[in-house]
């Protein structure tokens, strides 16, 4: 039987069932982004994201243990390869950095839930999110590589894949590829409503993914547009997305709210690197109460309609929830 919509994908285990509950704010809804890179004995702080690090695979378990102890049960992995090329081949290499990190992490911390970012930008020599034709990103030629990347992640142990490239049709391509290869139960969390945003600056520093020319405005969305965001969300759900994400979070509560009301799938919000960096910088200067700002930002996203919150402050929020300072 060929089924595109499979609500049971989101009921597969306790971590996932808690993640997608419709009304609550607790530690099970938090996802922590993690950067993993080639090499050994690496735990290097990201200059523009104080308190965030790039980890080699041998150092990753120390951070996973800290997350588990804090009560954060879900992580999103971003890979930083040693070598990049025009086709971003490290993204779908079975021995790529994310694939190796997944196998190691699943072995040492099998109870954590592993989500992988599916994109090409960290792996291409030009820094764009797909295959180039001259100076243009070729949408349709990129789809097969994204599907191949997602499949390689799942085969390495990913519990969920999250395409962030903003190519048209990529959710459908990934869903078909996973289903054909026996992974009908693997959920897709789509970066469906992803704007071309200045809030991403520190991430591009962290992942080394800034484009070498031009920008991403031909595939990421114009931040003036609201109806387009709704269209993107509905299209991705039709193609088989199980969870819809709005990114960034802070400036887009209107989209979180409207899309969560108009759709019947769980809603995620990604509090991105720029949001994190601004809080840390202002806190360092003594201009804000960091803890209160972290909590207020999180509550705002949940209040707007998010059920899942992807944030670099996941450990702090888990602590605040444990202590009853937020909930």
């Amino acid at each position: 039987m060929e089924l595109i919509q499979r609500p049971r994908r989101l009921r597969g285990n306790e971590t996932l069932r808690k993640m997608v509950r419709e009304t609550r704010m607790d530690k099970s809804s938090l996802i922590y982004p993690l950067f993993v890179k080639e090499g050994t004995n690496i735990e290097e702080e990201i200059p523009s994201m104080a308190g965030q690090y790039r980890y080699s695979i041998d150092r990753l378990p120390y951070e996973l243990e800290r997350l588990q102890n804090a009560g954060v049960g879900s992580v999103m992995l971003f890979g930083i390869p040693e070598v990049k090329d025009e086709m971003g081949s490290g993204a779908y290499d079975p021995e790529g950095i994310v694939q190796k990190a997944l196998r190691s992490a699943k072995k040492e911390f099998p109870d954590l839930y592993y989500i992988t970012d599916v994109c090409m930008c960290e792996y291409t020599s030009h820094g764009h999110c797909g295959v180039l034709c001259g100076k243009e990103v070729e949408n349709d030629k990129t789809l097969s590589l994204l599907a191949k990347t997602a499949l390689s992640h799942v085969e390495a142990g990913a519990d969920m894949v999250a395409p962030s490239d903003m190519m048209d049709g990529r959710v459908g391509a990934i869903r078909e590829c996973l289903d054909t290869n026996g992974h009908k139960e693997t959920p897709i969390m789509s970066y469906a409503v992803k704007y071309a945003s200045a809030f991403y600056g520190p991430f591009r520093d962290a992942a080394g993914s800034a484009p070498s020319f031009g920008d991403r405005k031909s595939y990421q969305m114009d931040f003036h547009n609201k109806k387009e965001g709704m269209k993107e969300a509905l299209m991705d759900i039709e193609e088989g997305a199980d969870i819809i994400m709005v990114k960034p979070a802070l400036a887009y509560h209107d989209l979180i709210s409207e899309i969560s009301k108009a759709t019947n799938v769980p809603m995620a919000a990604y509090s991105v690197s720029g949001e994190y960096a601004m809080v840390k910088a202002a806190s360092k200067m003594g201009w804000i109460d960091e803890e209160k700002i972290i909590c207020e930002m999180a509550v705002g996203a949940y209040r707007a309609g998010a059920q899942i919150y992807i944030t670099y402050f996941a450990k702090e929020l888990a602590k605040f929830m444990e202590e009853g300072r937020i909930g």
Side-chain angles (χ1 to χ4, degrees):
M1 180 179 294
E2 294 297 321
L3 295 177
I4 295 297
Q5 302 295 336
R6 291 179 178 269
R8 287 184 57 189
R9 289 189 194 112
L10 302 182
R11 303 171 193 156
N13 61 55
E14 186 65 10
T15 299
L16 184 55
R17 288 192 293 274
K18 285 184 177 180
M19 184 193 299
V20 301
R21 281 179 181 165
E22 294 179 11
T23 306
R24 52 87 185 97
M25 183 177 174
D26 61 31
K27 290 183 284 188
S28 65
S29 66
L30 299 170
I31 298 173
Y32 185 66
L34 265 173
F35 299 96
V36 59
K37 66 178 296 182
E38 298 283 4
T40 57
N41 200 32
I42 297 170
E43 191 168 331
E44 57 187 23
E45 189 168 22
I46 299 163
S48 57
M49 298 177 69
Q52 299 300 308
Y53 295 81
R54 305 178 190 95
Y55 298 95
S56 54
I57 292 173
D58 61 315
R59 299 297 299 177
L60 188 60
Y62 296 97
E63 180 64 358
L64 295 177
E65 184 175 22
R66 288 189 285 266
L67 287 166
Q68 193 169 66
N69 290 340
V72 178
S74 301
V75 299
M76 181 178 284
L77 292 178
F78 295 86
I80 305 169
E82 191 168 22
V83 178
K84 304 184 180 191
D85 59 34
E86 286 287 311
M87 300 297 290
S89 61
Y92 43 87
D93 183 349
E95 294 302 315
I97 181 61
V98 167
Q99 291 84 346
K100 290 188 293 187
L102 278 167
R103 288 192 288 267
S104 174
K106 291 283 280 191
K107 184 177 180 180
E108 296 199 48
F109 292 89
D111 294 333
L112 291 178
Y113 194 84
Y114 297 93
I115 305 161
T116 58
D117 177 79
V118 175
C119 195
M120 309 294 290
C121 63
E122 296 106 313
Y123 303 91
T124 55
S125 53
H126 45 76
H128 280 283
C129 299
V131 178
L132 292 183
C133 180
K135 294 291 186 180
E136 298 296 324
V137 175
E138 177 57 49
N139 189 95
D140 293 6
K141 289 182 180 178
T142 301
L143 298 183
S144 62
L145 298 184
L146 293 168
K148 192 175 178 180
T149 299
L151 179 61
S152 73
H153 288 180
V154 174
E155 289 179 340
D159 298 298
M160 179 190 292
V161 292
S164 64
D165 54 283
M166 287 300 286
M167 297 297 114
D168 293 339
R170 89 271 202 211
V171 172
I174 291 170
R175 184 74 271 157
E176 181 181 8
C177 179
L178 293 181
D179 287 3
T180 301
N181 286 277
H183 301 289
K184 291 182 171 66
E185 303 305 323
T186 301
I188 297 172
M189 174 164 58
S190 172
Y191 289 66
V193 188
K194 181 179 179 181
Y195 286 88
S197 172
F199 282 100
Y200 303 150
F203 176 92
R204 291 172 184 174
D205 173 35
S209 62
S212 61
F213 66 89
D215 53 41
R216 296 184 175 133
K217 292 181 179 179
S218 69
Y219 42 103
Q220 294 178 0
M221 290 170 50
D222 182 346
F223 59 77
H224 296 81
N225 296 349
K226 178 185 288 189
K227 291 180 180 179
E228 185 183 19
M230 182 66 73
K231 178 173 73 173
E232 289 278 6
L234 294 174
M235 286 174 60
D236 281 7
I237 292 169
E238 261 188 58
E239 290 178 22
D242 301 286
I243 299 171
I244 292 296
M245 184 199 301
V246 171
K247 181 185 180 185
L250 188 60
Y252 298 90
H253 285 188
D254 56 334
L255 272 299
I256 296 170
S257 178
E258 292 199 16
I259 293 170
S260 68
K261 291 173 184 175
T263 61
N264 60 358
V265 301
M267 171 66 59
Y270 195 149
S271 182
V272 298
S273 59
E275 298 171 44
Y276 176 89
M278 289 193 300
V279 172
K280 298 300 286 189
S283 176
K284 183 178 180 180
M285 296 299 294
W287 295 338
I288 61 169
D289 183 318
E290 181 174 322
E291 177 186 324
K292 289 181 179 178
I293 291 288
I294 292 169
C295 293
E296 191 170 339
M297 287 170 58
V299 170
Y302 287 97
R303 187 182 63 242
Q307 297 144 295
I308 300 165
Y309 194 49
I310 305 162
T311 174
Y312 301 95
F313 288 120
K315 286 181 288 186
E316 291 88 339
L317 283 167
K319 181 175 181 284
F320 301 152
M321 292 175 185
E322 184 72 27
E323 295 172 352
R325 288 186 271 171
I326 187 174

